[in-house]
Amino acid sequence: MEITYNFDIESLGESTFDSPLGLSNIKGDNIHNFVDENYRILYNIKLSAYKERLKKGLEPISMLKAGPREKVFFKPEDTTAAIVTCGGLCPGLNNVIRDIVMTLYYHYGVKSIYGIPYGYEGLSKDSPHKFVELTPDEVKDIHEFGGTILGSSRGGHEPSVMVDKLVEHNVDILFTIGGDGTLKGANAIGEEIERRGLKISVVGIPKTIDNDIDIIDQSFGFESAFGMATPILRDAHNEATGAFNGIAIVKLMGRDSGFIAASAALSNPVVNFVLVPEMDFRLKGKNGLVNLMRERLKSQHHAVIVVAEGAGQHLFENKSTVKDASGNIKHQDIGSFLQKKLKKELSDLKPTIKYIDPSYIIRSAAANSTDSVFCTKLAYHAVHGAMSGKTKMVVGKVNGYYVYLPISEVTKKRKKIDLEGDFWFSVVQSTGQPFTIG
């Protein structure tokens, strides 16, 4: 059964001002011109799905193509924009901030641009953090560094209070850079704005190294993150092979989805076992992790295990219900748990077990070249959409095209690894592990 989506994008009203970009309106896919509002991209690109929709008398599901519009909603010289970064750090945050500022300032002539310090906390009623002015001189070199110059925080605040703060600063456009929780907060802000009848655009740029934002091909920072993890796996392999019956356990980020762990293992095929949240692996039994490790050590005398932070939580007797400020359950340390369990269960083989947790080093790194380009394009398209008055939307890449999507659709569920899919099959082929552990 095909999943039904509503990809209609909300708008603040009719765009009446001429765009200052001065592009051509000549039609053609290979010409960089203004994008027509009727230009849409198919969501499901399978021919069979297309025919099935037509057979039922339904139009194929499509998404609005991102890009500059010939008419804009906001008069550039009278527009005030603000940028906020929320949630955990991620490679590319500073890139997106920089490119939003540069596009607004130089391409559209928007001179009033603010940075909101420390996430949504900066929009709270009694926040001690003041808005900071962002200019090209202020942001020109920030892409060279990881983290975010604006600071970040987890958790939201009352939408009415945050909208009051936006009104107080005469903000016309709010750019929110963050993951699932941030985007849900942005949508709530957008709904409060709509209830008041205000003309403030809210645009999200999806960020998470876990790559768990639904619908979009990939979120920025993800490629940099697993790229940073790749040499760590190489060194972990060196540690494992440096001792007789050596084991290296590397824990990577991935609260609900194991894309970083799986992708890093694919990029450096020295990994023997990948454990992700999507699989309920077992320790005991003929095909359990302990027995598989025993066979591995007897034949090869070393092993490398990569485990996502959210994997194996079902193995803990006292399951944690503590949540962080974003409402995410704080997982127990699966890496330390596996180190202790394997040391005990394999004691007769006298293994040397090294546990490596590079999580915060990976997420605070600067973006690599590919992610830098990706961040730039996301920022450009976010500004184009915002200036044309679109709101409660995110910009993302789907099927190779940059498109605009409603926040409400991408936050319905988290994207996860399909254990029956081609990607996971590639991981299993690379590691040699069985499809089911347990």
Side-chain angles (χ1 to χ4, degrees):
M1 181 178 178
E2 184 181 11
I3 299 174
T4 301
Y5 292 104
N6 178 6
F7 288 142
D8 293 338
I9 301 298
E10 294 185 33
S11 176
L12 297 175
E14 183 182 359
S15 295
T16 58
F17 298 104
D18 290 333
S19 170
L21 297 185
L23 300 177
S24 167
N25 56 11
I26 298 174
K27 305 298 180 184
D29 285 342
N30 295 321
I31 300 173
H32 183 63
N33 51 17
F34 290 116
V35 177
D36 189 278
E37 287 296 336
N38 295 316
Y39 194 153
R40 302 185 69 86
I41 304 297
L42 288 179
Y43 170 64
N44 192 330
I45 59 176
K46 292 180 181 177
L47 180 60
S48 58
Y50 179 83
K51 288 181 176 179
E52 185 64 26
R53 295 282 294 182
L54 293 182
K55 185 179 178 181
K56 295 178 180 178
L58 301 172
E59 184 178 273
I61 299 172
S62 62
M63 306 157 291
L64 187 62
K65 189 176 187 299
R69 268 51 181 177
E70 191 170 4
K71 295 285 185 178
V72 295
F73 180 81
F74 295 104
K75 190 176 182 181
E77 57 266 34
D78 297 334
T79 299
T80 297
I83 306 170
V84 63
T85 56
C86 307
L89 296 183
C90 174
L93 282 167
N94 280 335
N95 299 67
V96 175
I97 294 169
R98 178 189 187 277
D99 292 322
I100 288 175
V101 172
M102 294 299 189
T103 306
L104 285 169
Y105 194 95
Y106 287 119
H107 294 176
Y108 281 95
V110 175
K111 299 298 190 286
S112 181
I113 309 169
Y114 290 113
I116 300 171
Y118 300 107
Y120 287 143
E121 183 182 315
L123 288 174
S124 62
K125 184 178 181 180
D126 300 318
S127 173
H129 315 302
K130 305 299 182 184
F131 283 24
V132 296
E133 186 178 359
L134 297 177
T135 65
D137 279 346
E138 291 288 332
V139 303
K140 63 182 181 180
D141 297 323
I142 64 174
H143 62 290
E144 298 177 11
F145 306 96
T148 163
I149 62 163
L150 299 179
S152 185
S153 66
R154 292 192 182 277
H157 298 267
E158 282 296 321
S160 59
V161 173
M162 293 193 285
V163 173
D164 286 343
K165 204 63 166 286
L166 295 176
V167 172
E168 179 187 332
H169 286 81
N170 299 311
V171 172
D172 301 296
I173 299 172
L174 174 65
F175 294 99
T176 63
I177 311 171
D180 183 77
T182 302
L183 296 178
K184 287 178 179 176
N187 205 52
I189 291 171
E191 289 177 349
E192 176 65 19
I193 288 169
E194 186 178 3
R195 277 193 289 270
R196 298 191 192 185
L198 302 173
K199 299 300 182 182
I200 302 175
S201 170
V202 180
V203 175
I205 298 95
K207 167 237 62 167
T208 166
I209 62 173
D210 289 353
N211 197 36
D212 60 358
I213 302 295
D214 196 30
I215 301 173
I216 63 173
D217 294 347
Q218 187 170 301
S219 51
F220 80 82
F222 167 65
E223 184 169 314
S224 297
F226 84 75
M228 280 287 293
T230 301
I232 293 172
L233 299 188
R234 176 200 62 206
D235 296 339
H237 177 257
N238 293 339
E239 283 288 346
T241 57
F244 185 76
N245 287 344
I247 300 172
I249 300 171
V250 182
K251 186 179 78 171
L252 298 177
M253 285 190 164
R255 181 184 292 108
D256 300 301
S257 305
F259 288 104
I260 288 184
S263 298
L266 269 178
S267 67
N268 193 346
V270 297
V271 178
N272 308 113
F273 298 94
V274 178
L275 308 173
V276 294
E278 291 85 346
M279 62 190 295
D280 289 332
F281 69 93
R282 301 294 171 187
L283 293 177
K284 300 297 182 68
K286 181 180 179 181
N287 226 30
L289 182 63
V290 170
N291 196 50
L292 292 174
M293 286 295 297
R294 180 177 294 279
E295 293 176 359
R296 169 75 191 180
L297 292 184
K298 285 183 176 180
S299 64
Q300 302 298 322
H301 303 296
H302 74 275
V304 177
I305 301 172
V306 173
V307 59
E309 63 176 310
Q313 295 302 304
H314 60 284
L315 299 173
F316 291 92
E317 294 180 2
N318 299 317
K319 294 185 179 180
S320 172
T321 56
V322 178
K323 296 184 178 181
D324 63 20
S326 298
N328 302 305
I329 293 177
K330 288 186 176 182
H331 290 316
Q332 297 192 53
D333 190 347
I334 183 62
S336 178
F337 174 86
L338 289 177
Q339 183 184 31
K340 293 173 183 176
K341 283 290 184 181
L342 292 176
K343 184 177 182 179
K344 177 182 177 182
E345 297 294 336
L346 302 173
S347 60
D348 56 306
L349 298 178
K350 298 180 180 179
T352 299
I353 306 178
K354 303 291 177 61
Y355 172 37
I356 303 164
D357 181 2
S359 301
Y360 292 102
I361 300 299
I362 288 171
R363 77 174 196 173
S364 59
N368 67 17
S369 299
T370 303
D371 254 336
S372 294
V373 172
F374 188 29
C375 289
T376 297
K377 291 184 177 181
L378 287 173
Y380 287 170
H381 289 302
V383 172
H384 296 324
M387 288 301 297
S388 65
K390 293 170 178 55
T391 189
K392 292 198 294 183
M393 65 146 204
V394 299
V395 59
K397 200 173 186 181
V398 182
N399 298 329
Y401 287 88
Y402 289 92
V403 296
Y404 296 136
L405 299 163
I407 294 176
S408 58
E409 294 298 320
V410 302
T411 55
K412 282 183 176 178
K413 61 184 180 71
R414 298 284 182 93
K415 181 168 65 175
K416 294 179 178 290
I417 296 174
D418 180 0
L419 297 183
E420 301 293 328
D422 177 70
F423 174 67
W424 185 247
F425 182 67
S426 297
V427 174
V428 171
Q429 282 184 302
S430 176
T431 62
Q433 70 188 67
F435 276 96
T436 302
I437 298 179

